[in-house]
């Protein structure tokens, strides 16, 4: 057994997480799974064009670890493109660097992860309503709790 990997810090979760080749019947469709941190590594390096040192810093991991995650993400992407597989982006070991919130009156704001752990927001900073919710699904961690009053199922 390997030890528990550290959480990789991620700024962004893609809005679309499933890609399917056209014209392949579902029964014949093979799927490759890309983790959220692999997608983030590809985003930082190949889309934002940052150097590996900067990417590793942003994800709060060592440069060799970043290189390994990037390579794995690229190999899976290449495999899907060239071998006609579907891609599903999900899972992994990550924490979001910020969380987005929205109140019932439509105000949105972001809270950095560090602040989130210490004191999750309870009121909208603009209109002070306690009717707030996270915009993106979040992964409950130890001590973070789900102390959002007036949560709704959207
Ligand atoms: Zn508000």
């Amino acid at each position: 057994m390997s030890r528990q990997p550290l959480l990789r810090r991620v700024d962004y979760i893609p809005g679309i997480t499933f890609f399917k080749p056209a014209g392949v019947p579902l029964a014949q469709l093979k799927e490759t799974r890309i983790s959220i941190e692999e997608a983030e590594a590809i985003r930082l390096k190949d889309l934002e064009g940052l150097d590996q040192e900067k990417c590793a810093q942003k994800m709060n991991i060592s440069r060799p670890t970043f290189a390994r995650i990037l390579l794995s993400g690229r190999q899976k992407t290449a495999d899907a493109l060239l071998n006609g597989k579907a891609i599903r982006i999900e899972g992994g070991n990550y924490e979001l660097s910020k969380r987005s919130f929205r109140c019932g009156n439509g105000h949105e704001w972001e809270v950095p992860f560090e602040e989130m752990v210490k004191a999750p927001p309870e009121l909208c900073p603009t209109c002070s309503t306690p009717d707030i919710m996270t915009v993106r699904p979040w992964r409950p961690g130890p001590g973070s709790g789900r102390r959002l009053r007036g949560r709704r199922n959207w």
Side-chain angles (χ1 to χ4, degrees):
M1 282 290 285
S2 60
R3 68 205 155 92
Q4 179 72 16
L6 291 172
L7 296 180
R8 291 75 190 250
R9 189 157 302 184
V10 161
D11 277 345
Y12 182 78
I13 292 184
I16 293 173
T17 56
F18 188 68
F19 300 85
K20 177 187 176 299
V24 180
L26 205 63
Q28 289 167 26
L29 194 65
K30 286 184 179 143
E31 193 177 294
T32 182
R33 196 161 294 212
I34 295 179
S35 69
I36 298 289
E37 64 261 28
E38 287 168 346
E40 176 73 348
I42 292 171
R43 187 183 74 84
L44 292 173
K45 186 74 187 74
D46 296 338
L47 216 55
E48 303 266 313
L50 302 177
D51 64 44
Q52 289 211 5
E53 193 61 49
K54 183 80 185 160
C55 294
Q57 276 172 17
K58 277 182 91 72
M59 292 183 70
N60 203 27
I61 54 183
S62 71
R63 199 170 149 171
T65 301
F66 178 81
R68 189 167 47 75
I69 293 171
L70 178 67
L71 182 64
S72 167
R74 282 177 173 171
Q75 281 174 341
K76 289 175 182 177
T77 307
D79 175 43
L81 285 178
L82 299 169
N83 294 320
K85 295 181 182 176
I87 297 176
R88 189 180 295 281
I89 304 175
E90 68 178 14
N93 296 295
Y94 66 93
E95 65 187 11
L96 278 173
S97 57
K98 319 184 214 35
R99 295 240 156 75
S100 296
F101 287 84
R102 186 192 290 146
C103 84
N105 298 319
H107 304 119
E108 287 192 17
W109 71 102
E110 287 181 336
V111 180
F113 184 79
E114 292 76 10
E115 205 177 301
M116 184 72 212
V117 172
K118 276 185 279 176
E122 298 194 335
L123 300 174
C124 170
T126 307
C127 67
S128 298
T129 175
D131 179 20
I132 66 173
M133 70 221 64
T134 48
V135 175
R136 289 200 170 133
W138 75 328
R139 194 182 149 282
S144 62
R146 278 179 174 264
R147 283 186 273 142
L148 301 185
R149 274 179 262 153
R151 271 176 102 248
R152 290 186 210 157
N153 294 321
W154 278 25

